[in-house]
Amino acid sequence: MIELLVVLSLLVILAGMGLSQYKTSVVHSREAVLKQDLFGMRDAIDQYYADKGQYPGTLDALVSDGYLRKIPEDPFTKSASTWQTVPAEPDPNNPTAEAGIYDVKSGSDATALDGTKYADWD
């Protein structure tokens, strides 16, 4: 009977360690998706600027003009509408023109595995 209890306790300990590793790997994969999404959207913003000489007014402009197929879903907020946009500096040659979007950041206020905020990722 004692041998059975020892074996069961070892199985519970190993299962607990495996579950912890699983949860960490899920967060790690979401972080990788976030990095890829940020890279893709920032690249599309740069291409838009290179082609049109101005930044897009909204993220939807990237989709409607064919720079993105769709706005990706933030893997931590699970929504495509929570992205935080950073406006561009006004154009000194054309002060009445709309500034547009210079950068995009995650809308999540959670903390990454490395201790930084997802909203602060560059």
Side-chain angles (χ1 to χ4, degrees), residues 27-87:
V27 172
H28 184 68
S29 65
R30 284 185 182 173
E31 288 180 356
V33 169
L34 177 61
K35 286 179 184 179
Q36 183 64 37
D37 289 346
L38 288 171
F39 177 82
M41 287 192 295
R42 289 169 176 163
D43 186 49
I45 289 170
D46 290 343
Q47 289 177 11
Y48 187 100
Y49 182 79
D51 291 345
K52 302 194 182 229
Q54 64 183 13
Y55 289 106
T58 64
L59 292 177
D60 292 326
L62 295 172
V63 175
S64 63
D65 289 345
Y67 291 91
L68 292 174
R69 288 187 181 180
K70 67 175 189 161
I71 298 173
E73 194 176 85
D74 186 321
F76 291 98
T77 62
K78 297 187 180 358
S79 173
S81 62
T82 58
W83 295 107
Q84 300 297 311
T85 57
V86 178

Side-chain angles (χ1 to χ4, degrees), residues 98-110:
E98 182 180 338
I101 296 172
Y102 172 74
D103 196 8
V104 64
K105 296 184 180 278
S106 174
S108 174
D109 59 353

